[in-house]
Coordinates of all heavy atoms in Angstrom, one line a residue:
M24 N 6.3 -6.3 18.0 CA 4.8 -6.5 18.2 C 4.6 -7.9 17.4 O 4.7 -7.9 16.2 CB 4.2 -5.4 17.5 CG 2.7 -5.5 17.6 SD 2.1 -4.0 17.0 CE 0.4 -4.3 16.9
I25 N 3.8 -8.8 18.3 CA 3.6 -10.0 17.8 C 1.9 -9.9 17.5 O 1.2 -9.5 18.4 CB 3.8 -11.1 18.8 CG1 5.3 -11.2 19.1 CG2 3.3 -12.4 18.3 CD1 5.6 -12.2 20.1
I26 N 1.6 -10.3 16.3 CA 0.2 -10.3 16.0 C -0.3 -11.7 16.1 O 0.1 -12.6 15.5 CB -0.1 -9.8 14.5 CG1 0.4 -8.4 14.5 CG2 -1.6 -10.0 14.1 CD1 0.3 -7.9 13.0
N27 N -1.2 -11.9 17.2 CA -1.9 -13.2 17.3 C -3.3 -13.0 17.0 O -3.9 -12.0 16.4 CB -1.7 -13.7 18.8 CG -2.2 -12.6 19.8 OD1 -3.1 -11.9 19.5 ND2 -1.7 -12.7 21.1
S28 N -4.0 -14.1 17.1 CA -5.4 -14.2 16.7 C -6.3 -13.1 17.5 O -7.2 -12.5 16.8 CB -6.1 -15.5 16.7 OG -6.1 -15.9 18.2
D29 N -6.0 -12.8 18.8 CA -6.9 -11.8 19.4 C -6.6 -10.4 19.0 O -7.6 -9.6 18.8 CB -6.6 -11.9 20.9 CG -7.0 -13.1 21.6 OD1 -7.9 -13.7 21.1 OD2 -6.2 -13.5 22.6
T30 N -5.3 -10.0 18.6 CA -5.0 -8.6 18.2 C -5.5 -8.5 16.8 O -5.9 -7.5 16.4 CB -3.6 -8.4 18.4 OG1 -2.8 -9.2 17.6 CG2 -3.1 -8.2 19.8
L31 N -5.4 -9.7 16.0 CA -5.8 -9.5 14.5 C -7.3 -9.4 14.6 O -7.9 -8.6 13.7 CB -5.5 -10.8 13.9 CG -5.8 -10.9 12.3 CD1 -5.1 -9.7 11.6 CD2 -5.4 -12.3 11.8
T32 N -8.0 -10.0 15.4 CA -9.5 -9.8 15.5 C -9.8 -8.5 15.8 O -10.8 -7.8 15.3 CB -10.0 -10.9 16.6 OG1 -9.8 -12.2 16.2 CG2 -11.7 -10.6 16.6
Q33 N -9.0 -7.8 16.8 CA -9.3 -6.5 17.1 C -9.0 -5.5 16.0 O -9.8 -4.5 15.9 CB -8.5 -6.0 18.3 CG -8.9 -6.7 19.6 CD -7.8 -6.4 20.8 OE1 -6.9 -5.8 20.6 NE2 -8.2 -6.8 22.0
Y34 N -7.9 -5.6 15.3 CA -7.7 -4.8 14.1 C -8.7 -4.9 13.1 O -9.1 -4.0 12.5 CB -6.2 -5.2 13.6 CG -5.2 -4.7 14.4 CD1 -4.1 -5.6 14.6 CD2 -5.0 -3.4 14.8 CE1 -2.9 -5.2 15.4 CE2 -4.0 -3.1 15.7 CZ -3.1 -3.8 16.0 OH -2.0 -3.5 16.8
V35 N -9.1 -6.1 12.8 CA -10.2 -6.4 11.7 C -11.5 -5.7 12.2 O -12.2 -5.0 11.3 CB -10.3 -7.8 11.4 CG1 -11.6 -8.0 10.5 CG2 -9.1 -8.4 10.8
G36 N -11.9 -5.9 13.4 CA -13.0 -5.3 14.0 C -13.1 -3.7 13.8 O -13.9 -3.0 13.6
A37 N -11.8 -3.2 14.2 CA -11.6 -1.7 14.0 C -11.7 -1.3 12.6 O -12.3 -0.2 12.3 CB -10.3 -1.3 14.7
A38 N -11.3 -2.0 11.7 CA -11.2 -1.7 10.2 C -12.7 -1.6 9.7 O -13.2 -0.8 9.1 CB -10.3 -2.6 9.4
I39 N -13.4 -2.7 10.3 CA -14.9 -2.8 9.8 C -15.7 -1.6 10.4 O -16.6 -1.1 9.7 CB -15.4 -4.2 10.1 CG1 -14.8 -5.2 9.3 CG2 -16.9 -4.1 10.0 CD1 -15.1 -6.8 9.8
G40 N -15.3 -1.3 11.6 CA -16.1 -0.2 12.4 C -15.8 1.2 11.5 O -16.7 1.9 11.3
V41 N -14.5 1.4 11.1 CA -14.1 2.5 10.4 C -14.8 2.6 9.0 O -15.5 3.6 8.7 CB -12.6 2.7 10.2 CG1 -12.3 3.8 9.3 CG2 -12.1 3.0 11.6
H42 N -14.9 1.5 8.3 CA -15.6 1.4 7.1 C -17.0 1.6 7.2 O -17.6 2.3 6.4 CB -15.1 0.1 6.4 CG -15.9 -0.2 5.1 ND1 -15.6 0.5 4.0 CD2 -16.8 -1.1 4.8 CE1 -16.4 0.3 3.0 NE2 -17.2 -0.8 3.5
A43 N -17.6 1.0 8.3 CA -19.1 1.1 8.4 C -19.4 2.6 8.7 O -20.5 3.1 8.2 CB -19.6 0.2 9.4
T44 N -18.6 3.3 9.5 CA -18.8 4.6 9.9 C -18.8 5.5 8.6 O -19.7 6.4 8.5 CB -17.9 5.2 10.9 OG1 -18.1 4.3 12.1 CG2 -18.0 6.6 11.2
A45 N -17.7 5.3 7.9 CA -17.6 6.1 6.5 C -18.8 5.9 5.7 O -19.2 6.8 5.1 CB -16.2 5.8 5.9
V46 N -19.2 4.8 5.4 CA -20.4 4.4 4.5 C -21.5 5.0 5.2 O -22.3 5.7 4.4 CB -20.5 2.9 4.4 CG1 -21.9 2.6 3.8 CG2 -19.4 2.4 3.6
A47 N -21.8 5.0 6.4 CA -23.0 5.5 7.1 C -23.1 7.1 6.9 O -24.0 7.8 6.5 CB -23.0 5.2 8.5
V48 N -21.8 7.8 7.0 CA -21.8 9.2 7.0 C -22.0 9.8 5.5 O -22.8 10.5 5.3 CB -20.3 9.7 7.4 CG1 -20.2 11.1 6.9 CG2 -20.2 9.5 8.9
V49 N -21.4 9.0 4.5 CA -21.6 9.3 3.1 C -23.2 9.1 2.7 O -23.7 9.9 2.0 CB -20.7 8.4 2.3 CG1 -21.1 8.6 0.7 CG2 -19.3 9.0 2.5
N50 N -23.7 8.1 3.2 CA -25.1 7.7 2.8 C -26.2 8.6 3.5 O -27.2 8.8 3.0 CB -25.4 6.3 3.1 CG -24.9 5.3 2.2 OD1 -24.5 5.7 1.0 ND2 -24.5 4.2 2.6
L51 N -25.8 9.3 4.7 CA -26.7 10.2 5.4 C -26.6 11.6 4.9 O -27.3 12.4 5.4 CB -26.4 10.1 6.8 CG -26.8 8.8 7.5 CD1 -26.3 8.7 9.0 CD2 -28.3 8.4 7.4
T52 N -25.7 11.8 3.9 CA -25.6 13.3 3.5 C -26.2 13.3 2.1 O -25.7 12.8 1.2 CB -24.0 13.7 3.5 OG1 -23.3 12.7 2.7 CG2 -23.4 13.7 4.8
P53 N -27.3 14.1 2.1 CA -28.0 14.1 0.8 C -27.5 15.1 -0.3 O -27.8 14.9 -1.4 CB -29.4 14.5 1.2 CG -29.2 15.3 2.5 CD -28.1 14.7 3.2
T54 N -26.7 16.1 0.1 CA -26.4 17.1 -0.9 C -24.9 16.8 -1.5 O -24.1 16.2 -0.9 CB -26.2 18.4 -0.2 OG1 -25.2 18.4 0.7 CG2 -27.5 18.8 0.4
P55 N -24.9 17.0 -2.8 CA -23.5 16.7 -3.3 C -22.4 17.6 -2.9 O -21.2 17.2 -2.8 CB -23.7 17.3 -4.9 CG -25.2 17.2 -5.0 CD -25.8 17.5 -3.7
K56 N -22.7 18.8 -2.4 CA -21.5 19.6 -1.7 C -21.1 18.8 -0.4 O -19.8 18.8 -0.3 CB -22.0 21.0 -1.4 CG -21.0 21.9 -0.8 CD -21.5 23.2 -0.5 CE -20.5 24.1 0.0 NZ -21.1 25.5 0.4
D57 N -21.9 18.3 0.5 CA -21.5 17.5 1.5 C -20.7 16.4 1.1 O -19.7 15.9 1.8 CB -22.6 17.3 2.5 CG -23.2 18.3 3.2 OD1 -22.5 19.4 3.3 OD2 -24.5 18.2 3.6
N58 N -21.3 15.6 0.1 CA -20.7 14.4 -0.2 C -19.2 14.6 -0.9 O -18.3 13.7 -0.7 CB -21.5 13.7 -1.4 CG -22.8 13.0 -0.8 OD1 -22.7 12.7 0.4 ND2 -23.7 12.8 -1.6
D59 N -19.1 15.8 -1.6 CA -17.7 16.1 -2.1 C -16.7 16.3 -0.9 O -15.5 15.8 -1.1 CB -17.9 17.3 -2.9 CG -16.4 17.7 -3.5 OD1 -15.8 16.8 -4.1 OD2 -16.1 18.8 -3.4
K60 N -17.1 16.8 0.1 CA -16.2 17.1 1.3 C -15.9 15.9 2.1 O -14.9 15.5 2.3 CB -16.7 18.2 2.3 CG -16.6 19.6 1.7 CD -17.1 20.6 2.6 CE -17.1 22.0 2.0 NZ -17.5 23.0 3.0
L61 N -16.9 15.0 2.3 CA -16.8 13.8 3.0 C -16.1 12.8 2.0 O -15.5 11.8 2.5 CB -18.1 13.3 3.3 CG -18.8 14.0 4.5 CD1 -20.2 13.6 4.9 CD2 -18.0 14.0 5.8
G62 N -16.3 12.9 0.7 CA -15.6 12.0 -0.2 C -14.0 12.0 0.0 O -13.4 10.9 -0.2
Q63 N -13.6 13.2 0.4 CA -12.0 13.3 0.5 C -11.8 12.4 1.8 O -10.7 11.7 1.8 CB -11.7 14.7 0.8 CG -11.9 15.6 -0.4 CD -11.7 17.0 0.0 OE1 -11.5 17.4 1.1 NE2 -11.7 17.9 -1.0
Y64 N -12.4 12.5 2.9 CA -12.2 11.6 4.0 C -12.4 10.2 3.8 O -11.7 9.3 4.2 CB -13.0 12.1 5.3 CG -12.7 13.6 5.7 CD1 -13.7 14.6 5.6 CD2 -11.4 13.9 6.2 CE1 -13.3 15.9 5.8 CE2 -11.1 15.1 6.6 CZ -11.9 16.1 6.5 OH -11.7 17.4 6.9
T65 N -13.5 9.9 3.0 CA -13.9 8.6 2.7 C -12.6 7.9 1.8 O -12.4 6.7 2.0 CB -15.2 8.5 1.8 OG1 -16.2 9.1 2.7 CG2 -15.5 7.0 1.6
A66 N -12.2 8.8 0.8 CA -10.9 8.3 0.1 C -9.8 7.8 1.0 O -9.2 6.9 0.8 CB -10.6 9.2 -1.0
L67 N -9.6 8.7 2.0 CA -8.6 8.4 3.1 C -8.9 7.1 3.8 O -8.0 6.2 4.0 CB -8.4 9.5 4.1 CG -7.3 9.3 5.2 CD1 -6.0 9.1 4.6 CD2 -7.4 10.4 6.2
F68 N -10.1 6.9 4.2 CA -10.6 5.6 4.9 C -10.3 4.4 4.0 O -9.9 3.3 4.4 CB -11.9 5.8 5.5 CG -12.2 6.7 6.6 CD1 -13.2 7.5 6.6 CD2 -11.1 6.6 7.6 CE1 -13.3 8.5 7.8 CE2 -11.4 7.5 8.7 CZ -12.3 8.5 8.8
V69 N -10.7 4.7 2.7 CA -10.5 3.5 1.7 C -9.1 3.0 1.6 O -8.8 1.9 1.5 CB -11.3 3.9 0.4 CG1 -10.9 2.8 -0.8 CG2 -12.8 3.9 0.6
K70 N -8.3 4.1 1.6 CA -6.8 3.8 1.4 C -6.3 3.1 2.6 O -5.6 2.1 2.5 CB -6.0 5.1 1.2 CG -6.2 5.6 -0.1 CD -5.5 6.9 -0.4 CE -5.7 7.6 -1.8 NZ -5.1 8.8 -1.9
I71 N -6.7 3.6 3.8 CA -6.3 2.8 5.0 C -6.8 1.4 5.1 O -6.2 0.4 5.4 CB -6.8 3.6 6.4 CG1 -6.0 4.9 6.4 CG2 -6.6 2.8 7.6 CD1 -6.6 6.1 7.4
Y72 N -8.1 1.2 4.6 CA -8.9 -0.1 4.7 C -8.0 -0.9 3.7 O -7.8 -2.2 4.0 CB -10.3 0.0 4.2 CG -11.0 -1.2 4.2 CD1 -11.4 -1.8 5.6 CD2 -11.5 -1.8 3.2 CE1 -12.1 -2.9 5.7 CE2 -12.1 -3.0 3.3 CZ -12.6 -3.5 4.5 OH -13.2 -4.6 4.6
R73 N -7.7 -0.5 2.6 CA -6.9 -1.3 1.5 C -5.7 -1.8 2.1 O -5.3 -2.8 1.9 CB -6.7 -0.6 0.2 CG -8.0 -0.4 -0.6 CD -7.9 0.2 -1.9 NE -9.1 0.4 -2.6 CZ -9.2 1.2 -3.6 NH1 -8.2 2.0 -3.9 NH2 -10.4 1.4 -4.2
A74 N -4.9 -0.8 2.8 CA -3.6 -1.1 3.4 C -3.7 -2.3 4.4 O -2.9 -3.2 4.5 CB -2.9 0.1 4.0
I75 N -4.9 -2.2 5.2 CA -5.2 -3.2 6.2 C -5.4 -4.6 5.6 O -4.9 -5.6 5.9 CB -6.3 -2.7 7.1 CG1 -5.8 -1.7 8.0 CG2 -6.8 -4.0 8.0 CD1 -7.0 -1.1 8.9
E76 N -6.1 -4.5 4.4 CA -6.4 -5.8 3.7 C -5.3 -6.4 3.1 O -5.1 -7.6 3.1 CB -7.5 -5.5 2.5 CG -8.9 -5.3 3.0 CD -9.9 -5.2 1.8 OE1 -9.4 -4.8 0.8 OE2 -11.0 -5.5 2.0
I77 N -4.2 -5.5 2.7 CA -3.0 -6.0 2.1 C -2.1 -6.6 3.2 O -1.6 -7.8 3.0 CB -2.2 -4.8 1.4 CG1 -3.0 -4.5 0.1 CG2 -0.7 -5.3 1.1 CD1 -2.4 -3.2 -0.5
L78 N -2.1 -6.0 4.3 CA -1.3 -6.6 5.5 C -2.0 -7.9 6.0 O -1.3 -8.8 6.2 CB -1.3 -5.5 6.6 CG -0.3 -4.3 6.3 CD1 -0.5 -3.3 7.5 CD2 1.1 -4.8 6.1
A79 N -3.3 -7.9 6.0 CA -3.9 -9.3 6.4 C -3.6 -10.3 5.3 O -3.4 -11.4 5.7 CB -5.4 -8.9 6.4
G80 N -3.5 -10.0 4.1 CA -3.3 -10.9 3.1 C -1.7 -11.4 3.3 O -1.4 -12.6 2.9
I81 N -0.9 -10.6 3.8 CA 0.5 -10.9 3.9 C 0.6 -11.9 5.2 O 1.2 -12.8 5.2 CB 1.4 -9.8 4.1 CG1 1.4 -9.1 2.6 CG2 2.8 -10.1 4.5 CD1 2.2 -7.6 2.7
F82 N -0.1 -11.4 6.3 CA 0.1 -12.1 7.5 C -0.7 -13.4 7.6 O -0.4 -14.3 8.3 CB -0.3 -11.2 8.8 CG 0.7 -10.2 9.1 CD1 0.3 -8.8 8.9 CD2 1.9 -10.5 9.5 CE1 1.3 -7.8 9.2 CE2 2.9 -9.6 9.7 CZ 2.7 -8.2 9.5
T83 N -1.8 -13.4 6.8 CA -2.6 -14.7 7.0 C -1.9 -16.0 6.5 O -1.9 -17.0 7.2 CB -3.9 -14.5 6.2 OG1 -4.7 -13.3 6.6 CG2 -4.8 -15.7 6.2
P84 N -1.1 -15.9 5.4 CA -0.4 -17.2 5.0 C 0.7 -17.4 6.1 O 1.0 -18.6 6.4 CB 0.2 -16.9 3.7 CG -0.6 -15.8 3.1 CD -1.1 -15.0 4.3
L85 N 1.2 -16.5 6.6 CA 2.3 -16.7 7.6 C 1.7 -17.3 9.0 O 2.4 -18.1 9.6 CB 3.1 -15.4 8.0 CG 3.8 -14.7 6.9 CD1 4.4 -13.3 7.3 CD2 4.9 -15.5 6.5
V86 N 0.6 -16.9 9.3 CA -0.1 -17.4 10.5 C -0.4 -18.8 10.2 O -0.4 -19.8 11.2 CB -1.3 -16.6 10.9 CG1 -2.2 -17.2 11.9 CG2 -0.8 -15.2 11.3
K87 N -0.9 -19.3 9.1 CA -1.3 -20.6 8.8 C -0.1 -21.5 8.8 O -0.3 -22.8 9.1 CB -2.1 -20.7 7.4 CG -3.4 -20.0 7.4 CD -4.0 -20.1 6.1 CE -5.5 -19.5 6.0 NZ -6.1 -19.5 4.7
K88 N 1.1 -21.1 8.4 CA 2.2 -22.0 8.4 C 2.7 -22.2 9.9 O 2.9 -23.0 10.5 CB 3.3 -21.4 7.7 CG 3.3 -21.2 6.4 CD 4.4 -20.6 5.7 CE 4.1 -20.5 4.1 NZ 5.3 -20.0 3.4

């Protein structure tokens, strides 16, 4: 699988969309009980987002060369 600028843009867009959705869901739930349950899913999204950021940091210097 070759990552070019088009696919990288799509991956970054998907990551931003997932992050924005998670933030919206957490902010729209007013009760602590709901926030606790959604916090588990948000933590998963944060881990996925961090992994994407790490991969982007690895691939970005390679692309620039």
